[in-house]
Amino acid sequence: MRGESISVREARRRAKRQQRIMIVEVSDKRAIDASQSQDAMRYTNHSCSPNTVLRIRQGRVEFYALRPIAAGEELTANYGETHHEGTLPCRCGAPNCQGRI
């Protein structure tokens, strides 16, 4: 995923004022804000039953398919721990949905 490299502090400040968050923390100090990027991966949504896995490698955000993905199928990843700390309702609709992000 491509985007602007910013501090985690700035990322959290921006996230508080955005309805749609397209930010990934890549370390305890740096984050990638893809909100102004043209990279389609910024639209990868959360799912408790994802079809991709998100990995942080050398400050980069990378997605890997967990299974064959059909053309036009929505790309999803399990976000894992987020700054929402379990306070955001999950609306993924998966049979194993945890209910919160």
Side-chain angles (χ1 to χ4, degrees):
M1 180 173 78
R2 292 177 178 86
E4 178 185 5
S5 179
I6 57 176
S7 70
V8 166
R9 183 177 183 172
E10 175 63 11
R12 292 181 181 179
R13 186 188 71 75
R14 289 181 186 187
K16 286 180 182 177
R17 57 189 173 119
Q18 293 177 353
Q19 184 175 7
R20 218 171 258 226
I21 300 167
M22 298 177 178
I23 299 172
V24 176
E25 293 182 13
V26 295
S27 74
D28 59 344
K29 297 181 180 183
R30 302 304 300 164
I32 302 293
D33 181 354
S35 61
Q36 300 301 313
S37 172
Q38 296 302 309
D39 192 333
M41 294 307 288
R42 71 188 180 133
Y43 294 110
T44 304
N45 285 316
H46 168 82
S47 176
C48 295
S49 185
N51 57 17
T52 72
V53 63
L54 181 150
R55 297 274 186 246
I56 308 298
R57 304 240 170 142
Q58 298 177 343
R60 293 172 40 115
V61 180
E62 300 176 347
F63 293 89
Y64 296 90
L66 293 170
R67 60 170 175 74
I69 299 172
E73 183 179 350
E74 176 183 24
L75 297 178
T76 59
N78 186 329
Y79 291 169
E81 292 183 30
T82 70
H83 72 279
H84 301 294
E85 299 174 345
T87 61
L88 186 67
C90 180
R91 297 183 292 257
C92 76
N96 65 329
C97 182
Q98 301 299 307
R100 299 224 161 275
I101 298 175

